[in-house]
Amino acid sequence: MPSTTAITVQQLSRLIGLPGAPVIVDVRIDEDYDADPRLLPASHRRNFKTVSAWANDLAGSQVAVVCQKGQKLSQGVAAWLRHEGIAAESLGGGFEAWRDAGGPLVRADKIPSRDEKGRTVWVTRARPKVDRIACPWLIRRFIDPDAVFLFVEPAEVPAVADRFQAVPFDIDNVFWSHRGERCTFDTMIEEFGLQSQALDRLATIVRAADTARLDLVPQAAGFLAASLGLSRMFRDDLEQLEAGTMLYDAFFRWCRDATDETHNWPGGAKPS
């Protein structure tokens, strides 16, 4: 009989990258983590020994707890969280089951250092169109759900990065930027080690729209039109980011689940 306090690899994989994904807490011991220093997407590490101290940080959240094999550590932490009134499940089979099933993993060494509140901080040019919406979407869905994004005048990006310990992206002469014909979104997928057919499909659409190569995929022109339309609907870049996030959520779901689906009038008849 399936456990009522565990989530399976298959169930969790269907939630990864979506706005309703649970908060993923990695409680592997250092020895296991050091042997494979990768993380499930958007997860963060916590010390299982101090769960009573940090449990309240997760109040109101749906939580999935991951240890090496899905045994005592994750089950114990999940049980403690449930004691605190938090909806928590352990991942069946743990990190090993996720890895062996080919689930996407993030290279932890590529994640920037965090601020005093545990957030990564990024800075880029104001008035985003495609890549500067795509990258924040990727970061919040797969790397750091609490990431902070600063949009400033192009000439001020390096200085703001220095003064506010922020990571610059999508500008010239920085690590997180275009490389050849590939855009910053491609760079992030590659550097974080994210292996996902859906993300690769989305990356082609983003690249085509961002680099004006609309012949690469048929979805590119419509994607660019929607992106440019959003850029004209909002003066505030953060409001635009929030609105654009839904666009990327929708395209990610299409890339993952709906590429074979067509939509026709019932019976093939034309409406009168």
Side-chain angles (χ1 to χ4, degrees):
M1 182 176 180
S3 171
T4 59
T5 58
I7 185 170
T8 68
V9 167
Q10 183 178 17
Q11 289 169 333
L12 183 58
S13 68
R14 300 296 295 174
L15 299 172
I16 291 293
L18 303 181
V23 175
I24 303 176
V25 179
D26 185 320
V27 296
R28 285 178 291 165
I29 62 173
D30 289 344
E31 181 180 356
D32 289 333
Y33 172 77
D34 291 341
D36 190 342
R38 295 180 295 171
L39 296 165
L40 270 68
S43 65
H44 58 282
R45 296 192 70 211
R46 295 277 195 171
N47 187 337
F48 74 92
K49 296 179 180 178
T50 58
V51 59
S52 61
W54 50 261
N56 285 339
D57 296 345
L58 302 174
S61 301
Q62 184 81 28
V63 180
V65 186
V66 181
C67 68
Q68 187 70 5
K69 296 183 178 181
Q71 297 175 347
K72 55 185 176 295
L73 297 188
S74 59
Q75 292 185 32
V77 167
W80 191 286
L81 293 177
R82 290 194 298 273
H83 170 75
E84 297 290 344
I86 298 164
E89 299 171 305
S90 58
L91 176 64
F95 178 86
E96 291 185 359
W98 181 269
R99 179 199 61 203
D100 295 346
L105 291 165
V106 177
R107 289 184 54 185
D109 64 314
K110 293 296 184 177
I111 301 176
S113 58
R114 300 174 185 266
D115 68 4
E116 67 280 359
K117 293 185 178 181
R119 307 167 299 184
T120 58
V121 182
W122 305 76
V123 61
T124 190
R125 296 170 288 139
R127 307 309 304 140
K129 300 294 189 297
V130 179
D131 219 2
R132 283 164 287 147
I133 299 294
C135 292
W137 173 84
L138 182 75
I139 290 166
R140 283 187 172 165
R141 291 288 183 254
F142 289 86
I143 309 301
D144 176 16
D146 299 317
V148 174
F149 294 97
L150 309 176
F151 294 96
V152 301
E153 293 181 10
E156 301 304 320
V157 171
V160 170
D162 179 61
R163 299 296 196 280
F164 294 88
Q165 291 75 57
V167 180
F169 71 98
D170 203 46
I171 63 169
D172 290 336
N173 303 315
V174 299
F175 182 80
W176 301 102
S177 193
H178 284 228
R179 297 178 185 177
E181 295 184 345
R182 296 169 68 82
C183 62
T184 308
F185 190 72
D186 291 302
T187 297
M188 289 191 172
I189 290 174
E190 178 182 358
E191 290 293 339
F192 284 124
L194 285 165
Q195 296 183 8
S196 161
Q197 186 178 47
L199 281 179
D200 289 344
R201 188 174 284 136
L202 179 57
T204 303
I205 299 171
V206 171
R207 186 186 320 126
D210 191 59
T211 60
R213 289 180 289 162
L214 302 183
D215 58 320
L216 287 180
V217 285
Q219 297 78 27
F223 189 83
L224 178 60
S227 299
L228 295 178
L230 284 171
S231 75
R232 284 158 176 75
M233 290 173 63
F234 299 93
R235 292 189 62 186
D236 185 289
D237 293 337
L238 293 177
E239 290 183 2
Q240 183 190 339
L241 174 58
E242 291 302 315
T245 293
M246 183 175 291
L247 176 68
Y248 282 84
D249 286 339
F251 267 80
F252 176 69
R253 281 304 300 269
W254 178 84
C255 289
R256 198 190 76 177
D257 301 325
T259 56
D260 295 330
E261 183 177 340
T262 59
H263 182 69
N264 296 309
W265 191 258
K270 295 181 179 179
S272 58

